[in-house]
Structures are given as structure tokens and as C-alpha cells.
């Protein structure tokens, strides 16, 4: 969160991250409304993933630390919960979901660029990062944002995800991987390409 703040990927209270260990039926998520550049581990919210009755997934808060007890989980919890409950691809690993507002990714979408098309001109991008088709304008912290994002990331019934990162128009990106820094690198890589494209002025206008 500190690194994202320093790179202008978020302003103070933006952005959210969740982390799940492969063998646990709970995950950790950043709280709502706190300054992310001074975020401490004790502030994370601990969330149980419940599947009782079967196919009626829901979540509930678990006790974690005294200081986190009075905080609410991130407003984007429908997105994080929807991904964290489904992911089987990383069955023997940690699963990290990151949502930030990186300047050049958001600017590129605002300029009409489909982020998944950038790999045609910048094949190096696709070597390490698979980019999903943009999500069109949807309201922040909505179930629709979660549903549209998860469907375009292409998560199958076994929990395999076809893409590493996706842009949400007028808003930001969501990235997924097996560690915080691996997840961060997907955003860094896409942000770098978007910066190059915008600096070139050659993007179809
Ligand atoms: Zn956001």
C-alpha cells in the first residue's frame, strides 16, 4: 500500500488488498476509510468464508485485533470475497487480490484504449501478465463491479483464472497472484506500457 501510494496508484484512502492462505477458510482484507500509507498489519480485517448451506456463500467478520474491531472491511469486499471464495488455481499457494487506481492505466481507459489490446503492440507485456478485457463504467463498491470483473477475468468452476489483471473504466485495476509483490508487478507492468502509449500520443485519436 505504501509503495502504491508513493507511485500515485492511490490517494490516501483509496485501494484495497485481500490475502488468503490456501488451506484456510478465511482471508484478510484492508479496512475501509483508513490512510493506506500508514496502514499497519493489525488494522486488517479477518473474514470467514462460509459455504453453509452449500452454494449459498456468505462471509462474516472474525475477531482479529482490538484495533481492527471498530473498523469496517473495505467497501469493495464483494469483489474480494467473490474472487477469494472461487480461486482454486493457486490451491497450494497464497492468493492475493489487489485493487488500485494507477494513473496511466485509468488515463488510457479514459482515452478509449482497451487494455487487453496493448499486447498486440507490446508483446513483452503478455510474457508475464495476461490482461482481461476492460470492465465498462460500473458503480464503485457495487455487486455489479464484482460480477462484471469476475466474469471478464474468466474464472471457471475449478477456480482457474484466465487473466492476471483487469481494468475498470473510470476507476482502476484489479490484479491477482500468489504474493503481494507478484501481484504488484502485474500492475507495474501494465502501468508502464500505458505510460509509454500515452507519452507517444499515438492511440487512435
Ligand atoms: Zn477503487
Amino acid at each position: 500500500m505504501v509503495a502504491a501510494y508513493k507511485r500515485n496508484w492511490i490517494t490516501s484512502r483509496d485501494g484495497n488488498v485481500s490475502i488468503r492462505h490456501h488451506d484456510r477458510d478465511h482471508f484478510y482484507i484492508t479496512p475501509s476509510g483508513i490512510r493506506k500509507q500508514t496502514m499497519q498489519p493489525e488494522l486488517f480485517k479477518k473474514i470467514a468464508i462460509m459455504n453453509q448451506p452449500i452454494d449459498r456463500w456468505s462471509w462474516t467478520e472474525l475477531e482479529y485485533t482490538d484495533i481492527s474491531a471498530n473498523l469496517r472491511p473495505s467497501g469493495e469486499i464483494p469483489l474480494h470475497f467473490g474472487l477469494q471464495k472461487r480461486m482454486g488455481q493457486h490451491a497450494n499457494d497464497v492468493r492475493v487480490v489487489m485493487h488500485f487506481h494507477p494513473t496511466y492505466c485509468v488515463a488510457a481507459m479514459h482515452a478509449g484504449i482497451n487494455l487487453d489490446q496493448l499486447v498486440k503492440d507490446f508483446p513483452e507485456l503478455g510474457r508475464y501478465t495476461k490482461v482481461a478485457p476492460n470492465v465498462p463504467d460500473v458503480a464503485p463498491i457495487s455487486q455489479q463491479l464484482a460480477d462484471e470483473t469476475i466474469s471478464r477475468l474468466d474464472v471457471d468452476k475449478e477456480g482457474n483464472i484466465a487473466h492476471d489483471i483487469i481494468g475498470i473504466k473510470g476507476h482502476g485495476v484489479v490484479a491477482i497472484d500468489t504474493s503481494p509483490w507478484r501481484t504488484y508487478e502485474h500492475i507495474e507492468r501494465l502501468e508502464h506500457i500505458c505510460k509509454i502509449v500515452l507519452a507517444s500520443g499515438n492511440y487512435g485519436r
Side-chain angles (χ1 to χ4, degrees):
M1 303 302 285
V2 173
Y5 177 75
K6 286 182 177 165
R7 299 191 69 160
N8 288 318
W9 294 357
I10 48 172
T11 60
S12 292
R13 294 176 200 268
D14 296 342
N16 32 80
V17 174
S18 66
I19 299 168
R20 181 179 178 191
H21 293 83
H22 68 92
D23 55 349
R24 318 275 165 82
D25 55 5
H26 63 260
F27 64 93
Y28 296 91
I29 187 166
T30 47
S32 174
I34 58 118
R35 288 192 194 89
K36 304 307 194 309
Q37 70 271 41
T38 55
M39 172 90 200
Q40 297 299 315
E42 298 77 27
L43 297 176
F44 269 90
K45 299 292 290 182
K46 187 176 180 181
I47 306 292
I49 298 173
M50 298 181 300
N51 188 16
Q52 293 291 333
I54 197 89
D55 291 335
R56 293 287 300 274
W57 294 90
S58 62
W59 58 269
T60 189
E61 289 184 25
L62 297 172
E63 269 187 46
Y64 183 41
T65 61
D66 287 348
I67 197 167
S68 72
N70 295 323
L71 298 170
R72 287 175 296 113
S74 164
E76 297 289 7
I77 195 165
L79 168 74
H80 290 270
F81 172 65
L83 285 168
Q84 291 290 10
K85 75 182 182 191
R86 280 181 176 84
M87 273 194 274
Q89 187 173 25
H90 306 304
N92 297 312
D93 236 320
V94 172
R95 309 152 193 203
V96 178
V97 176
M98 234 171 229
H99 165 60
F100 294 146
H101 306 157
T103 307
Y104 295 99
C105 291
V106 177
M109 288 187 284
H110 187 67
I113 293 170
N114 294 309
L115 301 183
D116 61 322
Q117 300 298 308
L118 293 174
V119 72
K120 288 180 182 165
D121 293 328
F122 301 90
E124 180 76 3
L125 173 66
R127 287 183 66 197
Y128 303 107
T129 296
K130 293 194 246 4
V131 185
N134 296 357
V135 175
D137 285 308
V138 289
I141 64 169
S142 64
Q143 187 62 47
Q144 192 194 1
L145 181 147
D147 294 344
E148 299 269 352
T149 303
I150 292 164
S151 115
R152 282 173 176 76
L153 281 166
D154 205 356
V155 189
D156 71 15
K157 285 203 174 71
E158 279 73 49
N160 299 302
I161 301 178
H163 301 95
D164 302 304
I165 189 167
I166 185 167
I168 303 166
K169 191 167 179 292
H171 188 161
V173 301
V174 178
I176 300 152
D177 212 310
T178 53
S179 79
W181 287 112
R182 285 178 64 93
T183 312
Y184 179 95
E185 284 169 31
H186 292 306
I187 302 174
E188 184 180 42
R189 211 168 280 127
L190 183 59
E191 177 78 340
H192 189 219
I193 298 295
C194 287
K195 188 173 184 178
I196 290 168
V197 171
L198 292 168
S200 77
N202 180 14
Y203 45 92
R205 284 209 163 173

